[in-house]
Amino acid sequence: MTSPKMPISLTVNGRVVEAMVEPRLHLADLLRDQQRLTATHLGCEHGVCGACTILIDGQPARSCIALAVSMDGAEIRTLEGLQGDPLMEILKQAFHEQHGLQCGFCTPGMLISAWDLLRRGVALDERSVREAMGGNLCRCTGYQGIVRSIMAAAEMAKAAGLIKIGETA
Ligand code: FES
Ligand code: FES
């Protein structure tokens, strides 16, 4: 028996989306299947791997365990919505140059989490990057390239005046 659908209205990457959703539909499925925003990847689908990380009201969150029906009124941003963002472009460049990916499956979630980490402006060293990124799992890289990418991106973003590391919390 299917449950009755419920109306929701949310903003996705700056665009108002009106949808009728079943109570059990996850946000990731709404984004991927109904909005065709397939940069959001699904790995474990139970909140562990971080592949599905997006921004909900400006905060990183797992879209595989967020129910779409609870997103009424929320502002969602996916990796597609950060295209052209100067800090994200620097991160992408650093991941490319520092070999921060192999198969790329974890990469969208990694980029969103790293973007959030850098914009906070906290001082970073290898250990703190590893700790901050602990909620994002990668099956390929061994993490060295990812950590190197984030450290390099932090330096590039700092040089470009996009972030002031160590001056904000
Ligand atoms: Fe959401 Fe793994 S797919 S945390
Ligand atoms: Fe393959 Fe991370 S690059 S899972």
Side-chain angles (χ1 to χ4, degrees):
M1 192 175 84
T2 55
S3 306
K5 291 187 175 180
M6 302 175 72
I8 57 169
S9 174
L10 64 166
T11 306
V12 180
N13 297 336
R15 190 170 50 89
V16 174
V17 169
E18 315 267 357
M20 296 292 292
V21 298
E22 290 184 3
R24 293 176 60 177
L25 182 75
H26 287 114
L27 177 59
D29 295 321
L30 174 76
L31 295 171
R32 287 179 54 83
D33 299 340
Q34 296 186 21
Q35 298 299 310
R36 299 292 181 215
L37 294 169
T38 52
T40 301
H41 288 175
L42 281 169
C44 66
E45 297 193 58
H46 60 267
V48 175
C49 74
C52 66
T53 304
I54 57 159
L55 298 167
I56 300 176
D57 293 331
Q59 300 300 317
R62 314 291 212 212
S63 58
C64 73
I65 52 172
L67 291 172
V69 75
S70 68
M71 292 298 120
D72 190 41
E75 188 192 334
I76 308 298
R77 196 160 292 269
T78 68
L79 188 59
E80 290 95 337
L82 288 168
Q83 187 157 15
D85 173 88
L87 184 54
M88 183 56 83
E89 293 305 316
I90 281 176
L91 271 164
K92 287 183 195 170
Q93 183 186 341
F95 269 65
H96 174 69
E97 291 174 353
Q98 301 293 331
H99 307 290
L101 67 149
Q102 288 182 25
C103 80
F105 195 85
C106 68
T107 310
M110 288 283 179
L111 287 171
I112 296 266
S113 294
W115 183 86
D116 177 68
L117 176 63
L118 293 193
R119 75 177 173 155
R120 280 189 256 143
V122 292
L124 296 173
D125 56 18
E126 181 179 338
R127 184 173 171 174
S128 58
V129 170
R130 286 181 181 274
E131 280 178 8
M133 297 297 294
N136 289 80
L137 305 184
C138 175
R139 298 290 297 271
C140 304
T141 64
Y143 299 100
Q144 288 95 332
I146 292 170
V147 174
R148 221 172 33 235
S149 301
I150 295 170
M151 302 278 287
E155 288 305 317
M156 291 157 71
K158 191 174 163 187
L162 294 175
I163 57 173
K164 292 180 179 169
I165 292 176
E167 293 186 14
T168 58

